[in-house]
Amino acid sequence: MTEAAKTILIVDDEADLAESYALRLADHYETKVATSGGEALTKLGPDVDLVLLDRRMPGMAGDDVIKRIDEWELEFQVILVSAIDPDTDIIDLPFDGYLTKSVSTDELLDAVEQAFLKRRYEELVAEYNAAAETYDVLREAHTQTELDDNEEFAELESRLTELKDEFDETVAALDDSSVTDLLE
């Protein structure tokens, strides 16, 4: 998926701020805006890749939205945005990034990029493990001569190398705290 094809749902009860985030992200991503937790839930769907979510909103707060998202087991990243510094109340919240307002364009873009890199890392690990398992099964079931003459096995070996290279590039692009999060 290209960066331009990714969609971010921006949720903030301050409409001007939500639109400001959307404008700052528009050159890199598709954006949608919701100004309440309830509206956000109606806009969530398979086309959304990431939610930029204000924690403190009247009515349904961002913390409630994120818990609902987790219950629904939807597959996208969540970055919490708040005017208050994080405290221990975030321990049970499933999120992929945390920003404290006011957020610069660079901070916003970096947080989004890191969240997408974390997702890609997880996808690469799963894909590599599946391909490696297939590789191991075939190595046990066939002689090296049989495998040397098999085009599909050669393609599998090539894919494993490609996955490892992309994995290494992804890890190199992640910041240190993201790598620590993924290894825990």
Side-chain angles (χ1 to χ4, degrees):
M1 175 180 291
T2 64
E3 205 174 67
K6 292 186 184 294
T7 299
I8 299 174
L9 175 61
I10 300 159
V11 186
D12 199 303
D13 62 308
E14 296 177 50
D16 290 345
L17 186 56
E19 288 299 331
S20 169
Y21 292 152
L23 286 172
R24 292 191 254 169
L25 293 168
D27 287 345
H28 304 279
Y29 306 100
E30 296 294 323
T31 59
K32 295 180 176 186
V33 172
T35 56
S36 70
E39 183 184 0
L41 293 177
T42 67
K43 291 189 174 186
L44 290 173
D47 61 324
V48 174
D49 299 293
L50 183 139
V51 179
L52 190 64
L53 181 61
D54 183 14
R55 286 192 70 199
R56 303 287 186 238
M57 296 183 290
M60 182 180 284
D63 291 4
D64 296 327
V65 173
I66 198 170
K67 288 174 185 173
R68 188 78 58 90
I69 289 169
D70 192 45
E71 289 170 6
W72 290 350
E73 298 180 4
L74 297 172
E75 293 295 323
F76 43 76
Q77 310 298 97
V78 176
I79 297 175
L80 294 175
V81 184
S82 182
I84 60 172
D85 289 328
D87 203 351
T88 56
D89 63 337
I90 67 168
I91 289 174
D92 292 328
L93 295 178
F95 61 91
D96 303 287
Y98 194 101
L99 295 170
T100 304
K101 294 178 183 177
S102 72
V103 179
S104 73
T105 299
D106 287 343
E107 289 172 318
L108 183 61
L109 289 170
D110 186 55
V112 169
E113 180 183 329
Q114 289 297 306
F116 285 138
L117 283 170
K118 288 179 193 178
R119 168 60 54 89
R120 185 62 188 140
Y121 170 92
E122 292 165 354
E123 292 168 350
L124 286 168
V125 168
E127 189 176 346
Y128 183 87
N129 286 339
E133 182 63 28
T134 301
Y135 178 87
D136 290 344
V137 167
L138 291 172
R139 293 286 313 233
E140 287 181 25
H142 298 279
T143 66
Q144 186 62 46
T145 303
E146 291 171 326
L147 294 174
D148 286 343
D149 294 333
N150 187 296
E151 186 176 319
E152 290 172 320
F153 187 76
E155 289 173 10
L156 176 63
E157 286 181 313
S158 176
R159 182 64 184 142
L160 282 168
T161 300
E162 291 170 8
L163 287 168
K164 184 185 179 317
D165 291 345
E166 187 177 351
F167 177 84
D168 291 344
E169 289 171 16
T170 301
V171 169
L174 284 164
D175 62 32
D176 291 342
S177 64
S178 294
V179 172
T180 302
D181 292 345
L182 290 167
L183 296 176
E184 290 179 343

